[in-house]
């Protein structure tokens, strides 16, 4: 069973920074195709924030370009969030497209970590 463990959320003032981290843990991981961060604000749908592929290619939501940076090292992914705005508030979820020894590549999700940006 693959588990994604997130850390690093919290409360910060507008203009501040936070760094989120996520580690995929399982003895059966064969390959990680991509890792991503999603967020869900109250009353809104979950949206993609940033993604990084196996080759290191990245993709960002327009709203975070130039402020957020996604990076990956092995089975871990991080999201450096700078110049935070109140509209960045939400629950941030780590996602991995992971192939294991038993299953073909499929989505796995972390439990979510709260990010609150005060104005």
């Amino acid at each position: 069973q693959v588990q994604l463990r997130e850390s690093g959320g919290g409360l910060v003032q507008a203009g501040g920074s936070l760094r989120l981290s996520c580690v995929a843990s399982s003895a059966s991981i064969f390959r990680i195709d991509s890792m991503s961060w999603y967020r869900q604000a109250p009353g809104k749908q979950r949206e993609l924030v940033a993604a990084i592929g196996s080759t290191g290619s990245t993709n960002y939501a327009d709203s975070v370009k130039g402020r957020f940076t996604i990076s990956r090292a092995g089975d871990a992914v991080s999201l450096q969030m700078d110049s935070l705005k109140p509209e960045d508030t939400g629950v941030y979820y780590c996602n991995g497209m992971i192939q294991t020894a038993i299953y073909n590549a499929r989505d796995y999700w972390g439990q979510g970590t709260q990010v609150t940006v005060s104005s």
Side-chain angles (χ1 to χ4, degrees):
Q1 181 72 8
V2 175
Q3 290 187 326
L4 298 181
R5 295 190 176 90
E6 301 140 334
S7 61
L11 173 65
V12 65
Q13 289 188 332
S17 298
L18 282 174
R19 185 176 182 86
L20 306 183
S21 296
C22 171
V23 178
S25 61
S26 171
S28 63
I29 291 176
F30 178 70
R31 186 182 69 242
I32 297 179
D33 291 336
S34 64
M35 299 190 82
S36 308
W37 288 95
Y38 286 73
R39 70 185 178 193
Q40 187 165 18
K44 294 187 177 182
Q45 289 187 333
R46 191 175 298 188
E47 62 174 353
L48 176 67
V49 176
I52 185 165
S54 58
T55 61
S57 61
T58 58
N59 182 40
Y60 295 93
D62 288 341
S63 60
V64 307
K65 283 181 181 176
R67 301 188 298 121
F68 289 13
T69 303
I70 190 171
S71 59
R72 179 180 162 187
D75 294 347
V77 64
S78 296
L79 185 68
Q80 177 66 38
M81 304 186 293
D82 299 318
S83 303
L84 282 161
K85 304 176 181 179
E87 51 263 44
D88 294 319
T89 294
V91 179
Y92 283 68
Y93 296 91
C94 177
N95 168 274
M97 180 62 73
I98 300 171
Q99 181 175 345
T100 67
I102 300 174
Y103 297 107
N104 292 330
R106 67 177 191 178
D107 279 324
Y108 291 88
W109 293 90
Q111 78 284 357
T113 185
Q114 177 70 44
V115 171
T116 303
V117 184
S118 63
S119 58

